Amino acid sequence: MGLYGALRPLLFRASADTAHDMAVRLGRVGQVAGPLVRALHPLRLGAEERARLSSRVLGLDFRVPIGTAAGLDKNAEIVPLVEQIGCGFCEVGSVSAEPRPGNPKPRAFRLPTDRALVNRLGLGNEGAAAIARRIGGMRRPPGFPIGINVVKTHDPAIIGAEGLDDFACAARTMLPHADFLVLNVSCPNTAEGKTFEDPASLAELLDRVMAERAALRSGVPVLVKLSPPAPLDAEGAFDTSALDELMDLALERGVAGFVATNTASDRAGLSTPTARLEAIGHGGLSGAPIRARALAMTRHMRRRLEGRAAIVGVGGIDTPEAAYERICAGADLVELYTGLVYAGPGLVGEAARTIVRGLDRDGHGSVADAVGSCA
Ligand SMILES: Cc1cc2nc3c(=O)[nH]c(=O)nc-3n(C[C@H](O)[C@H](O)[C@H](O)COP(=O)(O)O)c2cc1C
């Protein structure tokens, strides 16, 4: 049992909300002790293995194709720590134009028997201006791309044209600080619903964001983060028509990639008792129960996109093998969140080593060769 395995029972005695706050606070202190963190989480890779793990995606160089998903570091407070645990990039946010406190606590819940979380954090964050200042003033880890995930300010009163202006403002403020920008159109935890995930609204949003990007003369790649499909049918398939329409219109508007997937609103395939789920209430489901559908979605997207846009695979990657599997299904990069809660930060290094072993076994020279090899 690693250090995290020993600490986990203690950490899990606190509520999921408290544990997350503690982790960010510890993270802020811990990142000044970089060499110690690195010593606890060594990548243990030789020069040749490192070279095979590195890849060029979205016009950016990634040393390791593993990063942290949005929500883990909403305010860009622990970027160096994410690098020190072995990640090759991070996606901070979601950042909105206006600061928001998020929903009242409790708002995050563990489902240990399902290795899952339910959260309704409600897009709390310090707001674009403050987070842009923080990132602008930070010493960025070299060779470590920082993705910034932006979203409409969580406020049901900000809708329609005002919602579009608000989203565009977050994009405009964060673009100069981002290596890549992710538009979160798929958060299930908003009072007003997913206001930008239907085709007409997404088209309008993309036209607007791309115009902002052009006005700034920015070449920063823009990605769209999508919801997972509905639970798979008996053949492991899902209706792809809505997804295909969204991908097509996004490609037409110059989107460079997709993040697949966000959390799910349903409670399919859980072994946690219904009474417990009812007591928890609404929120986005993440972790192992969404793995199969996020994987199927990645595979479908890869087949349809044929390399025209990058795929960032996220959702239920909680073992090293799942990371390699997602790459073979078509993900250029993978992201972790719930897996880190259950397996701890050692998951990053283990996944990196497992990817190298997978490349050896399957005769791939590099990560790029493996991407989509089982799509
Ligand atoms: C507590 C929590 C907060 C999250 N906050 C955000 C967010 O602010 N923006 C976003 O795009 N995704 C957010 N997510 C979704 C994750 O980025 C990820 O897409 C999802 O959890 C699936 O990955 P996982 O199964 O590895 O956790 C959040 C997830 C969790 C568990």
Side-chain angles (χ1 to χ4, degrees):
M1 192 198 307
L3 180 63
Y4 189 78
L7 288 176
R8 202 179 82 163
L10 270 180
L11 207 58
F12 275 28
R13 242 186 253 169
S15 74
D17 289 297
T18 309
H20 181 258
D21 292 348
M22 269 164 41
V24 172
R25 238 173 274 143
L26 262 176
R28 273 190 238 139
V29 181
Q31 59 193 341
V32 288
L36 176 66
V37 177
R38 244 187 261 278
L40 285 172
H41 300 285
L43 269 185
R44 281 197 217 95
L45 293 169
E48 195 214 317
E49 291 165 321
R50 282 177 193 271
R52 293 174 72 193
L53 268 184
S54 65
S55 56
R56 196 163 169 81
V57 183
L58 299 165
L60 301 164
D61 290 319
F62 292 83
R63 284 190 303 231
V64 179
I66 307 163
T68 48
L72 192 84
D73 186 12
K74 284 175 181 284
N75 298 310
E77 294 172 284
I78 56 167
V79 171
L81 183 74
V82 173
E83 193 258 347
Q84 284 153 9
I85 63 168
C87 283
F89 70 101
C90 65
E91 184 181 326
V92 302
S94 290
V95 178
S96 56
E98 301 290 332
R100 279 294 177 273
N103 288 326
K105 293 178 182 173
R107 54 194 183 184
F109 309 86
R110 295 186 203 96
L111 312 180
T113 51
D114 288 304
R115 282 177 76 85
L117 295 174
V118 167
N119 92 82
R120 48 168 178 275
L121 263 58
L123 298 170
N125 71 99
E126 292 174 4
I131 299 172
R133 263 197 309 278
R134 178 171 297 128
I135 299 178
M138 116 187 0
R139 200 174 329 133
R140 297 168 83 112
F144 183 84
I146 300 177
I148 304 180
N149 174 310
V150 289
V151 74
K152 185 187 85 62
T153 301
H154 185 202
D155 182 344
I158 305 178
I159 43 164
E162 218 188 313
L164 199 59
D165 287 344
D166 176 274
F167 211 137
C169 171
R172 187 169 58 240
T173 311
M174 300 318 295
L175 264 171
H177 302 282
D179 291 308
F180 61 94
L181 188 82
V182 180
L183 308 181
N184 177 8
V185 296
S186 48
C187 177
N189 304 314
T190 63
E192 57 272 38
K194 298 179 194 178
T195 35
F196 290 100
E197 211 179 15
D198 71 276
S201 316
L202 181 62
E204 205 177 7
L205 175 67
L206 284 172
D207 287 340
R208 182 65 185 274
V209 169
M210 289 308 187
E212 299 283 354
R213 179 172 168 267
L216 290 169
R217 298 182 191 282
S218 163
V220 168
V222 174
L223 291 81
V224 176
K225 181 164 181 178
L226 298 169
S227 297
L232 305 177
D233 64 21
E235 276 80 52
F238 65 97
D239 181 356
T240 61
S241 50
L243 171 62
D244 291 346
E245 191 178 353
L246 292 181
M247 280 195 288
D248 289 350
L249 76 83
L251 281 180
E252 277 165 26
R253 286 164 176 80
V255 157
F258 298 91
V259 182
T261 70
N262 212 317
T263 54
S265 317
D266 59 77
R267 299 287 179 264
L270 298 180
S271 59
T272 302
T274 312
R276 167 75 180 136
L277 295 176
E278 279 169 2
I280 288 173
H282 71 92
L285 174 70
S286 60
I290 67 166
R291 184 191 311 127
R293 41 183 148 157
L295 179 69
M297 181 156 152
T298 295
R299 195 166 277 136
H300 172 74
M301 293 174 81
R302 172 72 194 183
R303 287 197 208 122
R304 190 171 173 95
L305 292 168
E306 293 177 319
R308 286 175 295 161
I311 301 173
V312 182
V314 52
I317 301 178
D318 62 351
T319 61
E321 293 74 24
Y324 182 62
E325 179 184 42
R326 198 64 55 95
I327 288 170
C328 294
D332 299 272
L333 303 166
V334 295
E335 289 181 346
L336 312 173
Y337 193 148
T338 305
L340 288 175
V341 172
Y342 283 97
L347 177 60
V348 179
E350 280 176 35
R353 288 187 288 280
T354 299
I355 292 169
V356 174
R357 276 198 297 276
L359 298 178
D360 277 340
R361 189 190 56 227
D362 299 336
H364 299 301
S366 65
V367 168
D369 294 337
V371 172
S373 57
C374 300

